[in-house]
């Protein structure tokens, strides 16, 4: 029986994200916010552990703007037991260290938890740093890139994949584990799940309630500073061939064939 | 040392990322480069290779219990190295080890870390490390500084630079240090390992054929596989193709997949989202085939063909079959 925390993030759908060409910033309007798809694997791992060990509970925790409540309701609809939203303007501008500091305080405030599950990274920031930073701040064990997580008598067993090998670990709790796609898909919420989630009120806490000092969070608590944002320009001046009929196809394929054989330097 | 790179070891040998990090370090702070190496023993001459390739000072901790990455002992070793040698900058690889070790240690030292930098430079005015990385799914680039915290830490993608070349007779200092047994405490106990030989093939391939959403349906994959086999190329894919389940994640090239630096890259129906370009823009020669003449990959291509992949590939296969093996 474990008390599991699931960390989820609401992200812009990077596949449809539009950029303002002039300012180089993201156009937020009309761009659907979604649950970070990689966090749903962590939810799947949490629900599997709960199914295997009755009495295990799953608390979904997110830090974000008020409408990040939607992401938490999605987790509730899919089977999480509880949710907590950390919402505070003072948290704006937090880098990964400040974010990890805030989430560690949230875990302490609503815990103690035996196991913290995360996705391997969020698709907007793409850093994957917050999980390991929380483990260090909280003094938890840490396993990243887990393909499977199973409960055992004294803790958990985890399979972790690296570039070189598949490792099997026995991990003492409390621990933070980030999971990969390999744990499987969580599926869709049931109608009942959706209805229950809609009626739930998601508790919201601010950073003062978590006992955080302003100097440790937000911009002030962030060691890193974004000093410049730009659109990448990476242009080569190559040959361009247009195919519009049989003859142009044939000549393009001739050029292509010699190019791929290395006979022609463009 | 002013800059410390995090070398990585597998099976008692240094991994290529160690020498790629030296290439980065030599561009930033030549003459002031350190390297940290944790291992359960190394083949003879491995540490000398780091010196030959640009390290001025090597710090090596060896113990049977340092053979596999565990956050607590590895974190302690990096914290101690920073305390003792006071580097301004720490650079690691964005490998499964680096992506876990560096953020864990950065938090222990209460400093910042920038992941997956594609460019690193020193700001002439302030001497600070300028850390540039793709952001927001690769739609923009952000340059980041760590003004007031030390060390300034960053990871870079494996294979994003060539490894540094050895200079025979180059001199440096090697510190072989005994790790204190207090470091050998961890929540994690390794039960077993099985080596994997998964498509390192793709990362190491000289030629890659990459499919994007423009191939329309998985039924079009066999002709692409044939092309790859005729060329002796590895098969890669964009995130859209992998998300649709047409090819496995091990084929994914880009910010959230693998980075490749092949001699020849052929993009078939690849639009060229920046998230994908981040994983292939260092390819030596680039071919793009796409019906959309505005496709972003065209701006990078040495040979751009505006046309239908399903016309071009069968015709090219026929031509290559005729021409015999390459």
């Amino acid at each position: 029986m474990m008390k599991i925390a699931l960390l989820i993030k609401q992200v812009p759908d990077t596949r449809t994200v539009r950029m303002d060409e002039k300012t180089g910033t993201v156009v937020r309007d009309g761009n659907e916010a979604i649950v970070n798809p990689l966090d749903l694997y962590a939810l799947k791992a949490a629900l599997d552990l709960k199914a295997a060990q009755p009495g295990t509970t799953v608390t979904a925790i997110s830090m974000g703007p008020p409408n990040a409540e939607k992401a938490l309701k999605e987790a509730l609809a899919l089977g999480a037991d509880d949710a907590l939203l950390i919402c505070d303007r003072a948290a704006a501008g937090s880098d990964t260290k400040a974010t990890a500091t805030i989430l560690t305080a949230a875990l302490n405030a609503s815990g103690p938890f035996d196991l913290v599950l995360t996705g391997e990274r969020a698709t907007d920031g793409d850093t994957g740093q917050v999980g390991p930073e929380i483990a260090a701040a909280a003094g938890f064990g840490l396993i990243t890139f887990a393909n499977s997580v199973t409960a055992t008598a004294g803790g958990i067993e985890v399979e972790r994949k690296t570039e070189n090998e598949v490792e099997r670990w026995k991990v003492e709790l409390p621990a933070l584990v980030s999971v990969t796609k390999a744990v499987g898909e969580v599926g869709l919420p049931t109608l009942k799940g959706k209805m229950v989630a809609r009626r739930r009120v998601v508790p919201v806490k601010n950073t003062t309630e978590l006992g955080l000092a302003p100097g440790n969070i937000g911009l002030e608590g962030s060691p890193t500073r974004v000093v410049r944002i730009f659109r990448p320009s990476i242009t080569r001046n190559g040959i361009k061939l247009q195919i519009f009929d049989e003859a142009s196809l044939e000549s393009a394929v001739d050029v292509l064939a010699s190019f791929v054989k290395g006979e022609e330097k463009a | 040392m002013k800059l410390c790179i995090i070398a990585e070891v597998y099976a008692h040998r240094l991994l290529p990322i160690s020498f790629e990090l030296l290439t980065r370090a030599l561009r930033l702070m030549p003459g002031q480069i350190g390297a940290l190496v944790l291992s359960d023993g190394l083949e003879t001459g491995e540490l000398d290779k780091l010196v030959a390739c640009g390290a001025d000072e090597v710090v090596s901790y060896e113990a049977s219990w340092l053979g596999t990455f565990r956050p607590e002992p590895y974190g302690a070793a990096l914290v101690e190295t920073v305390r003792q040698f006071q580097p301004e900058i720490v650079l690691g690889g964005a490998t499964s080890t680096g992506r876990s070790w560096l953020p864990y240690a950065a938090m222990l030292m209460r400093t910042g870390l920038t992941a997956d930098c594609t460019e690193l430079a020193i700001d002439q005015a302030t001497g600070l490390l300028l850390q540039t990385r793709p952001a927001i799914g690769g739609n923009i680039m952000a340059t980041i500084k760590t003004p007031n915290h030390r060390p300034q830490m960053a990871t870079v993608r494996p294979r994003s630079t060539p490894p540094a070349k050895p200079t025979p007779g180059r001199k440096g200092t090697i510190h072989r240090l005994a790790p204190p047994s207090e470091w050998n405490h961890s929540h994690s106990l390794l039960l077993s390992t099985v080596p994997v030989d998964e498509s390192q093939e793709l990362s190491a391939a000289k030629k890659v054929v990459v499919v994007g959403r423009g191939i329309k349906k998985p039924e079009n994959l066999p002709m692409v596989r044939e092309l790859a086999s005729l060329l002796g190329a590895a098969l890669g894919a964009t995130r859209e193709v992998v998300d649709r389940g047409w090819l496995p994640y091990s084929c994914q090239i880009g910010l959230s997949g693998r980075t490749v630096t092949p001699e020849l890259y052929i993009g078939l129906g690849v639009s060229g989202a920046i998230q994908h370009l981040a994983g292939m823009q260092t390819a030596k020669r680039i071919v793009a085939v796409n019906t959309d003449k505005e496709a972003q990959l065209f701006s990078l291509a040495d040979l751009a063909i505006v046309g239908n992949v399903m016309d071009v590939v069968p015709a090219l296969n026929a031509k290559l079959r005729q021409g015999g093996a390459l």
Side-chain angles (χ1 to χ4, degrees):
Chain A
M1 213 166 83
M2 283 191 284
K3 204 165 144 61
I4 298 175
L6 166 76
L7 301 182
I8 62 177
K9 185 179 185 188
Q10 195 180 46
V11 298
D13 190 341
T14 49
R15 275 169 281 187
T16 58
V17 73
R18 286 179 305 122
M19 303 297 299
D20 184 320
E21 296 285 337
K22 284 200 187 101
T23 60
T25 54
V26 180
V27 180
R28 297 275 177 184
D29 310 338
N31 181 43
E32 191 97 9
I34 56 169
V35 175
N36 172 35
L38 302 177
D39 293 346
L40 293 175
Y41 302 113
L43 177 56
K44 164 73 172 162
L47 296 177
D48 286 353
L49 286 166
K50 186 180 155 180
Q53 273 193 331
T56 292
T57 60
V58 179
T59 305
I61 301 176
S62 188
M63 171 179 136
N67 74 6
E69 184 194 45
K70 264 178 59 189
L72 290 169
K73 288 218 166 181
E74 193 171 331
L76 289 170
L78 285 160
D81 300 286
D82 288 298
L84 172 66
L85 176 63
I86 309 304
C87 183
D88 196 335
R89 295 196 73 88
S94 291
D95 71 357
T96 64
K97 176 186 170 268
T99 303
T101 303
I102 295 167
L103 288 172
T104 303
L107 290 168
N108 289 337
S110 49
F113 291 101
D114 302 300
L115 178 63
V116 182
L117 291 170
T118 73
E120 60 176 278
R121 64 195 149 74
T123 54
D124 57 348
D126 257 325
T127 72
Q129 288 174 188
V130 172
E133 287 171 337
I134 290 171
F140 281 21
L142 168 68
I143 296 280
T144 48
F145 311 111
N147 280 351
S148 71
V149 186
T150 46
T152 60
I156 51 169
E157 273 190 31
V158 177
E159 189 179 281
R160 173 177 193 256
K161 184 138 173 296
T162 70
E163 296 82 352
N164 307 306
E165 56 192 19
V166 176
E167 306 165 344
R168 247 202 116 69
W169 293 92
K170 188 173 166 54
V171 187
E172 276 171 34
L173 303 176
L176 183 144
V177 175
S178 78
V179 304
T180 68
K181 271 186 185 181
V183 302
E185 303 282 339
V186 73
L188 294 168
T190 60
L191 191 60
K192 184 168 168 253
K194 276 190 188 173
M195 284 168 58
V196 169
R198 199 174 307 147
R199 284 196 297 268
R200 292 285 295 272
V201 177
V202 174
V204 182
K205 282 198 165 127
N206 63 34
T207 56
T208 318
E209 288 167 299
L210 295 177
L212 290 158
N216 289 327
I217 59 169
L219 268 181
E220 210 188 321
S222 298
T224 62
R225 285 272 180 285
V226 176
V227 292
R228 185 174 162 236
I229 287 192
F230 60 100
R231 286 183 67 79
S233 83
I234 27 172
T235 307
R236 303 181 183 193
N237 291 315
I239 311 172
K240 200 167 198 170
L241 304 171
Q242 182 117 26
I243 295 172
F244 41 88
D245 59 8
E246 280 298 317
S248 56
L249 172 63
E250 199 176 318
S251 67
V253 169
D254 277 343
V255 175
L256 180 53
S258 24
F259 188 89
V260 299
K261 289 186 204 169
E263 287 165 8
E264 190 161 331
K265 292 257 183 267
Chain B
M1 65 179 77
K2 274 256 173 100
L3 184 161
C4 182
I5 65 123
I6 306 293
E8 282 190 47
V9 175
Y10 182 68
H12 311 291
R13 300 184 69 158
L14 289 161
L15 290 169
I17 183 69
S18 316
F19 301 100
E20 295 163 23
L21 289 167
L22 285 175
T23 299
R24 299 274 187 176
L26 285 165
R27 288 177 198 161
L28 297 171
M29 294 203 158
Q32 303 173 90
I33 298 167
L36 172 64
V37 191
L38 305 189
S39 72
D40 57 347
L42 286 161
E43 287 182 7
T44 316
E46 288 292 285
L47 295 178
D48 302 316
K49 283 186 197 164
L50 289 170
V51 172
C53 292
D56 302 291
E57 211 165 4
V58 176
V59 178
S60 167
Y61 283 105
E62 254 180 49
S64 60
W65 42 270
L66 286 175
T68 304
F69 166 73
R70 289 178 301 162
E72 298 92 342
Y74 272 54
L78 179 50
V79 171
E80 173 56 22
T81 304
V82 167
R83 192 196 63 78
Q84 206 175 333
F85 295 92
Q86 303 277 315
E88 290 277 304
I89 297 171
V90 172
L91 298 184
T95 58
S96 59
T97 295
R99 281 177 191 282
S100 316
W101 182 4
L102 272 79
Y104 188 87
M107 181 54 106
L108 293 179
M109 296 186 277
R110 299 294 187 263
T111 190
L113 169 64
T114 304
D116 279 324
C117 294
T118 52
E119 264 172 71
L120 293 170
I122 300 292
D123 184 10
Q124 293 302 331
T126 57
L128 291 171
L129 181 66
L130 298 173
Q131 309 148 38
T132 299
R133 74 183 300 265
I136 318 184
N139 291 285
I140 52 167
M141 304 295 284
T143 301
I144 292 162
K145 276 188 200 169
T146 310
N148 304 316
H149 295 68
R150 293 294 174 273
Q152 306 162 79
M153 295 177 68
T155 62
V156 298
R157 277 287 173 118
R159 294 178 190 281
S160 60
T161 44
K165 296 229 157 49
T167 305
R170 199 176 175 284
K171 294 271 184 290
T173 314
I174 296 177
H175 306 276
R176 288 171 205 270
L177 305 174
S181 58
E182 305 91 89
W183 291 357
N184 186 17
H185 289 290
S186 177
H187 285 75
S188 310
L189 174 71
L190 186 61
L191 301 175
S192 64
T193 59
V194 181
V196 287
D197 181 29
E198 189 209 286
S199 57
Q200 277 308 319
E201 211 193 315
L202 179 58
S203 298
K206 290 261 193 289
K207 298 174 186 172
V208 294
V209 174
V210 180
V211 292
R213 200 169 35 179
I215 65 154
K216 298 283 201 302
K217 50 185 180 183
E219 288 73 23
N220 288 322
L221 278 171
M223 65 167 102
V224 178
R225 288 189 196 276
E226 187 190 358
L227 174 61
S229 121
L230 284 165
L231 291 170
L235 185 63
T238 63
R239 180 153 91 180
E240 284 90 344
V241 166
V242 171
D243 282 350
R244 282 174 168 73
W246 297 352
L247 281 170
Y249 175 68
S250 57
C251 288
Q252 187 170 317
I253 292 172
L255 198 56
S256 44
R258 290 167 192 279
T259 305
V260 295
T261 310
E263 301 283 322
L264 177 66
Y265 167 104
I266 302 178
L268 303 172
V270 174
S271 62
I274 287 167
Q275 112 87 22
H276 179 71
L277 302 187
M280 53 63 70
Q281 58 185 274
T282 50
K284 200 163 267 173
R285 303 189 318 135
I286 297 172
V287 178
V289 183
N290 206 312
T291 44
D292 173 11
K293 63 180 192 308
E294 302 299 326
Q296 199 164 352
L297 185 60
F298 282 153
S299 66
L300 255 190
D302 302 294
L303 177 59
I305 295 181
V306 185
N308 193 327
V309 169
M310 278 65 83
D311 295 333
V312 173
V313 173
L316 179 60
N317 286 350
K319 187 120 207 144
L320 292 173
R321 277 196 301 265
Q322 250 172 40
L326 297 177

